[in-house]
Amino acid sequence: MTEGAGEIRVIRIEDEMRTAYLDYAMSVIVARALPDVRDGLKPVHRRILYTMGEMGLSAGSSYRKCAAIVGEVMGKYHPHGDAALYDALVRMAQDFSMRYPLVDGQGNFGSVDGDSAAAMRYTEARLTAIAAELLADIDRDTVDFTDNYDGTQKEPSVLPARLPNLLVNGSSGIAVGMATNIPPHHLGEVADAAAALIDDPEMSTDDLCAMLQGPDFPTGGTIFRYETRRNALTGENETVDAIREMYAHGRGRVVVRAEVAFEETRHGRTAIVVTELPYQVNKAALLEKIADLVTGKRIDGIGDLRDESDRDGMRIYIEVKRDANPHKVLNNLFKHTPMQLAFNLNMLALVDGQPQTLPLKAVLQHYIDHRREVVRRRTEFDLEKARARAHILEGLKIALDNLDAVIRTIRESADVDLARTNLMAGFSLSEAQAQAILDMRLARLAALERKKIEDEYLQVIQLIAELEDILANPARVLAIIKDELAELKRRYAGPRRTRIKDDASREMTDEDLIADEDVVITISRRGYIKRQPVAVYHRQQRGGKGIIGHVTREEDAVEHLLVANTHDWALFFTNRGRVFSAKVHTIPDASRQAKGIPIINLPGVQVETGEVPVATITLPEFTTGQYLVMATRNGIVKKTPLEQFEKVRSSGIIAITIGPDDELAWVDSASGDDDVILATAEGRIARFSEAEVRPMGRQAAGVIGIRLARKGDRVVGMSVVQPEADLLVLTETGYGKRVRLTEFRTMHRGSQGVRLISLEGRKTGAVAAVQQVTDQDVELVLISAGGQVVRTQTNTINRYSSGARGVIVMRLNAGDRVVGIAAFRPGLAERGAVQDNGEASEGPGRSPVGPPA
């Protein structure tokens, strides 16, 4: 029951609680937790900025104690606790919380580790230059003022906000039954989007998203635009533009990931270095979380963890153990720690005092409408002021034109009031004009001063006309808003910090974390495979002995060598004519001394007993219109469309049907109208048109490509001819040369070929490998059966005629022999497969040498 006005009223407790709670809820929603859509500020932030402006704490002024600022705000406008006020002031000064800080703090204002700011008596602050844009023109009647909490002061209900602060700095807050979470954005992009919406109010969300790429967090990181979701109706996965959907509905989520890089330590290990974290992630808490996961055996492979951050930037150092896969360790970090998290956007703001969830277009439109009102009121204020000044100047001109009469009138008047009355009556002046004449100094009667008054009057008249035209023409108001946005962008925008990545999957896969790099793949006779970075092998001059690239075991010599990219597909063709596929990055990265792992241990490779890989080809994708050309030991060739190998079972598929006493020896790519060359161990070469080999299905056996003249001869190389290419020939004992392919005329398929190189028995041995090269920048990697590897440049090997023996290219140990050669151009990791002629293309890379002698 309540008592009032001399009577007692009976009220149900349920009704009283409901009314009181609703009053409390609306107070929290409107007066505390939610920002206004117009200036993007909550009342506490608005009062702090307005008070600092009143105190003269501009960007060029000296700093003032934060305690003085908090006391001034609390005493005049904000009747709440000083701790909450100081926390709001501190956040506006943190460059890791605000994309464009509004307060310039001096002292300890906290850190990304979660350290709290120093007490307000120790810190000082002033406004930043960009904060002045929020307060600009507030003294020109641009916004309404309301009474403060006790009616003794006036405070603005909203700031003029030339800066589109709601989107630029974002906002977060929890009210009663609702919450807002708006991310910060790049000022330049917001300005461009607002200007475009001014020009075309019918713009769609898609059009706006073309200019506003997405959130731009002060801490950087990477946002994934696309994500894969399951359709609730069809049950199928579909790719969704998460950013576009978020802006279209005013709510949604995007995945944010830390920025990381791999570094090699001085001990030969790999370190994961984190330089940027997702927005609002506590670095100290993250380090503690990682340490707990390592201690609890949730994440294996981390040997050392330390924070190396300093004043130059963030640096979290995570050293990976020698036997661990750094990509899998990073994958687990993204999965189990805040190094990857989802930012849930909810653009809830106050519109005319009511909370509304707003799409991007509505937020921009409300800002434009607010600025239109501000510019209109500012123009009206300036117009009224200009008219008042023109009125005064007109009175002064009348006085100057009737100077003697005015002086006489004043002299004959008994006092000032009578003089003012006489002037008003005698010269038809207003009270303001008469007072201005009375206040005019005698110095204004000089000729030059009289001229200044006339010039000022003309300028004021022109200004009045300009202001009246602005008010009469809404298009001019919008043009002013656009000009102001362009100036804001020019002065404050700066570069974008958060990267936007087009990725259809929010789930991290191992392949996402694999760096694009060139690697050398080696395969031994017994089917052991490994990969190593190309940089392991230093370039040498012709005739060098190289380094050990593969430690061999008894009866397990190196057979195959090729250079590929970690993101390529690798197709493994066996001697029995079957093919298996695997990603290059799934091949283990091993040291020069390691032998690798059996190919059968690779995912998707299940070879049978006695079946060994004889040719490998790498390709970035399965391009339609490309072919694979295959050759066997006995000179049989076949051409099959590349797309028929796109889907390969783990048990393999048939690539070619092999005849008795024959084996598949070579695979290469072709476009359909090239020439093909076949080289044999006895130094013969046949060149014929690819068109003479019709496309066949995978089950076909092929046709004769070259007839072997002598028993025991075999195919050691096949390649599709490239324009203006040289053919690099290498013998078993390390002799080699380059021969222009133009020396070999095109013949019909099935010939015995012509001489390729002059062989001299044991001195040269048989031909071990052939390789096409097209320019002098190509580098070569040569390997012997004993595991010896040489990396050299192509231009160190001279050209010779087809009848020449060549020169020593690789010096071998006793009993060793050359088995393979591959060519590549450094730095082409991002351009696709690296081919044996040194050119990057859309098609597959070339295979290594065929079976050994």
Side-chain angles (χ1 to χ4, degrees):
M1 295 187 297
T2 62
E3 183 177 354
E7 63 177 355
I8 297 176
R9 292 186 299 116
V10 178
I11 301 176
R12 296 181 61 194
I13 187 66
E14 295 91 341
D15 295 338
E16 180 65 16
M17 291 182 66
R18 181 180 295 108
T19 302
Y21 185 77
L22 287 175
D23 291 343
Y24 163 73
M26 288 307 299
S27 174
V28 172
I29 291 170
V30 175
R32 295 183 68 176
L34 299 184
D36 193 292
V37 70
R38 295 169 292 179
D39 62 5
L41 296 172
K42 301 175 186 178
V44 62
H45 301 118
R46 187 179 301 117
R47 288 163 179 166
I48 291 173
L49 295 176
Y50 177 65
T51 301
M52 293 180 72
E54 279 191 316
M55 295 173 68
L57 299 180
S58 63
S61 70
S62 59
Y63 292 91
R64 286 286 301 277
K65 286 282 188 182
C66 289
I69 299 172
V70 170
E72 189 81 2
V73 177
M74 187 167 56
K76 287 186 175 181
Y77 307 113
H78 200 70
H80 298 283
D82 59 342
L85 258 172
Y86 184 51
D87 286 344
L89 174 65
V90 165
R91 187 180 182 278
M92 288 194 290
Q94 293 174 336
D95 58 3
F96 53 87
S97 296
M98 303 284 283
R99 180 60 179 85
Y100 299 91
L102 302 176
V103 172
D104 178 13
Q106 183 168 265
N108 176 15
F109 278 79
S111 72
V112 74
D113 287 320
D115 301 319
S116 59
M120 68 179 78
R121 62 183 178 272
Y122 299 121
T123 57
E124 299 177 334
R126 64 185 180 187
L127 293 174
T128 60
I130 199 170
E133 304 295 344
L134 289 171
L135 296 166
D137 305 323
I138 197 170
D139 56 347
R140 295 162 74 178
D141 193 30
T142 52
V143 293
D144 294 331
F145 279 71
T146 59
D147 289 335
N148 69 338
Y149 62 91
D150 61 0
T152 60
Q153 302 283 338
K154 290 288 187 180
E155 64 175 308
S157 59
V158 66
L159 297 186
R162 184 178 300 169
L163 178 75
N165 187 61
L166 184 64
L167 286 173
V168 165
N169 274 321
S171 183
S172 63
I174 301 175
V176 178
M178 61 185 67
T180 185
N181 198 27
I182 303 172
H185 293 79
H186 187 259
L187 173 57
E189 296 176 6
V190 175
D192 289 341
L197 188 60
I198 289 173
D199 291 335
D200 182 11
E202 302 301 322
M203 288 188 71
S204 65
T205 300
D206 291 339
D207 296 331
L208 293 173
C209 287
M211 286 166 282
L212 191 65
Q213 299 180 37
D216 186 26
F217 299 113
T219 54
T222 300
I223 292 175
F224 292 93
R225 173 177 293 277
Y226 297 101
E227 63 177 347
T228 302
R229 300 177 185 169
R230 184 175 295 276
N231 190 301
L233 298 178
T234 64
E236 298 180 353
N237 290 336
E238 58 183 12
T239 300
V240 178
D241 187 338
I243 294 179
R244 186 263 173 206
E245 188 176 76
M246 181 175 68
Y247 288 145
H249 301 98
R251 61 175 64 241
R253 53 178 282 164
V254 290
V255 174
V256 189
R257 181 178 295 168
E259 183 68 13
V260 300
F262 291 108
E263 289 186 4
E264 184 175 352
T265 69
R266 60 182 179 179
H267 305 297
R269 298 183 180 180
T270 300
I272 300 170
V273 178
V274 183
T275 55
E276 296 175 5
L277 289 177
Y279 186 48
Q280 295 178 330
V281 169
N282 185 310
K283 176 161 62 69
L286 172 65
L287 291 169
E288 184 178 347
K289 174 72 172 178
I290 296 174
D292 290 342
L293 290 172
V294 173
T295 303
K297 305 298 183 183
R298 294 286 302 278
I299 296 181
D300 295 324
I302 294 180
D304 189 17
L305 171 66
R306 58 180 182 264
D307 185 3
E308 298 181 347
S309 304
D310 55 22
R311 65 180 59 191
D312 294 326
M314 181 182 298
R315 180 180 170 88
I316 300 175
Y317 182 89
I318 307 170
E319 187 171 304
V320 181
K321 293 180 179 178
R322 191 179 301 276
D323 58 345
N325 186 331
H327 303 291
K328 291 185 179 179
V329 172
L330 181 57
N331 194 2
N332 284 323
L333 288 172
F334 283 139
K335 183 177 182 181
H336 297 294
T337 74
M339 283 177 59
Q340 174 174 302
L341 49 76
F343 184 93
N344 294 288
L345 176 141
N346 185 18
M347 288 204 288
L348 183 70
L350 295 176
V351 180
D352 297 329
Q354 299 297 319
Q356 292 184 22
T357 300
L358 303 167
L360 173 63
K361 182 177 179 179
V363 174
L364 290 171
Q365 190 60 58
H366 282 297
Y367 164 75
I368 294 170
D369 292 343
H370 173 59
R371 288 303 299 168
R372 183 190 289 117
E373 179 68 10
V374 167
V375 172
R376 182 189 64 78
R377 293 181 60 165
R378 182 183 68 193
T379 305
E380 289 177 347
F381 176 85
D382 291 343
L383 178 60
E384 186 64 27
K385 189 174 180 181
R387 285 173 174 170
R389 181 59 180 166
H391 181 66
I392 296 298
L393 292 173
E394 287 171 353
L396 295 178
K397 287 186 62 181
I398 292 174
L400 293 174
D401 292 339
N402 302 275
L403 184 58
D404 293 338
V406 168
I407 293 174
R408 185 168 53 253
T409 301
I410 296 174
R411 290 181 64 182
E412 292 175 354
S413 300
D415 53 29
V416 174
D417 292 336
L418 182 59
R420 180 167 49 250
T421 302
N422 292 336
L423 287 174
M424 293 170 59
F427 300 96
S428 301
L429 299 173
S430 66
E431 183 177 354
Q433 289 175 324
Q435 185 62 45
I437 293 172
L438 292 173
D439 294 338
M440 185 173 61
R441 296 182 303 158
L442 292 176
R444 301 298 299 273
L445 301 180
L448 290 178
E449 292 298 321
R450 297 177 62 178
K451 182 69 167 56
K452 288 182 180 179
I453 292 175
E454 294 174 354
D455 292 342
E456 183 184 358
Y457 179 71
L458 290 176
Q459 292 176 0
V460 171
I461 293 299
Q462 293 174 356
L463 176 61
I464 291 173
E466 177 75 7
L467 296 174
E468 288 176 340
D469 185 64
I470 291 174
L471 291 174
N473 190 351
R476 292 203 60 186
V477 174
L478 295 176
I480 291 172
I481 298 173
K482 287 178 59 178
D483 292 341
E484 291 175 346
L485 286 170
E487 180 63 15
L488 286 173
K489 176 182 176 181
R490 184 189 67 81
R491 294 179 61 188
Y492 305 109
R496 167 175 270 276
R497 298 181 185 176
T498 300
R499 288 156 293 279
I500 307 294
K501 182 177 179 181
D502 293 338
D503 196 323
S505 174
R506 293 192 296 107
E507 297 298 328
M508 182 53 117
T509 64
D510 289 342
E511 188 172 355
D512 292 330
L513 305 171
I514 303 298
D516 281 339
E517 62 176 344
D518 293 330
V519 293
V520 175
I521 301 173
T522 56
I523 306 172
S524 72
R525 177 182 298 170
R526 296 179 60 184
Y528 282 83
I529 187 171
K530 69 174 182 178
R531 65 178 170 92
Q532 297 169 268
V534 169
V536 169
Y537 305 103
H538 300 291
R539 186 184 304 123
Q540 300 182 8
Q541 297 299 317
R542 173 181 60 81
K545 294 194 66 173
I547 61 174
I548 296 298
H550 190 109
V551 174
T552 59
R553 304 312 193 256
E554 186 177 356
E555 298 180 355
D556 189 22
V558 175
E559 288 191 356
H560 303 293
L561 170 75
L562 72 157
V563 177
N565 181 267
T566 48
H567 285 264
D568 287 349
W569 282 98
L571 296 180
F572 302 99
F573 294 83
T574 71
N575 56 335
R576 296 182 181 178
R578 293 202 303 157
V579 61
F580 301 87
S581 69
K583 280 287 191 176
V584 169
H585 65 76
T586 62
I587 301 171
D589 188 357
S591 67
R592 292 189 290 110
Q593 291 75 25
K595 68 177 182 179
I597 66 169
I599 289 181
I600 60 174
N601 290 346
L602 290 177
V605 181
Q606 298 179 6
V607 298
E608 299 175 353
T609 303
E611 188 175 16
V612 294
V614 294
T616 305
I617 192 167
T618 61
L619 60 152
E621 58 185 8
F622 295 87
T623 307
T624 304
Q626 290 284 107
Y627 297 91
L628 289 185
V629 179
M630 290 160 267
T632 70
R633 280 181 178 269
N634 294 340
I636 301 298
V637 296
K638 175 190 172 181
K639 182 172 71 174
T640 303
L642 177 60
E643 59 265 25
Q644 294 192 19
F645 299 93
E646 184 170 4
K647 296 181 179 179
V648 179
R649 301 185 298 270
S650 60
S651 58
I653 59 175
I654 295 176
I656 182 174
T657 300
I658 300 297
D661 301 323
D662 198 4
E663 289 182 338
L664 181 62
W666 202 268
V667 181
D668 202 352
S669 66
S671 60
D673 56 357
D674 299 312
D675 281 358
V676 177
I677 54 173
L678 288 171
T680 72
E682 295 294 331
R684 306 291 294 181
I685 183 171
R687 176 175 179 171
F688 55 88
S689 174
E690 178 196 337
E692 295 194 4
V693 183
R694 62 178 179 82
M696 306 176 191
R698 291 187 295 102
Q699 303 283 346
V703 295
I704 295 176
I706 185 173
R707 296 186 187 275
L708 302 178
R710 296 176 57 182
K711 186 177 182 180
D713 197 5
R714 65 197 181 282
V715 173
V716 294
M718 181 202 71
S719 184
V720 174
V721 176
Q722 303 297 313
E724 300 181 0
D726 290 348
L727 189 66
L728 182 64
V729 187
L730 199 63
T731 70
E732 292 177 330
T733 60
Y735 279 86
K737 66 176 181 178
R738 284 189 294 156
V739 186
R740 291 193 183 276
L741 280 174
T742 53
E743 289 195 23
F744 308 110
R745 62 183 177 85
T746 302
M747 308 170 67
H748 287 294
R749 175 180 59 81
S751 70
Q752 292 186 358
V754 296
R755 186 168 64 172
L756 172 62
I757 188 173
S758 178
L759 300 178
E760 300 178 8
R762 292 185 179 181
K763 185 173 183 178
T764 60
V767 175
V770 295
Q771 183 83 36
Q772 279 193 87
V773 291
T774 58
D775 61 50
Q776 303 304 311
D777 292 333
V778 172
E779 295 191 7
L780 304 173
V781 178
L782 295 74
I783 193 166
S784 72
Q788 194 172 311
V789 175
V790 168
R791 175 181 173 184
T792 187
Q793 285 187 312
T794 305
N795 58 8
T796 63
I797 303 173
N798 294 330
R799 289 191 181 95
Y800 292 90
S801 67
S802 60
R805 178 190 62 192
V807 295
I808 289 290
V809 176
M810 182 178 185
R811 297 189 183 277
L812 303 170
N813 295 323
D816 202 0
R817 61 184 175 84
V818 174
V819 295
I821 182 173
F824 73 101
R825 179 180 296 165
L828 290 184
E830 73 280 4
R831 291 179 52 190
V834 179
Q835 306 201 15
D836 69 340
N837 63 349
E839 295 290 337
S841 75
E842 299 295 329
R846 309 302 194 213
S847 63
V849 298

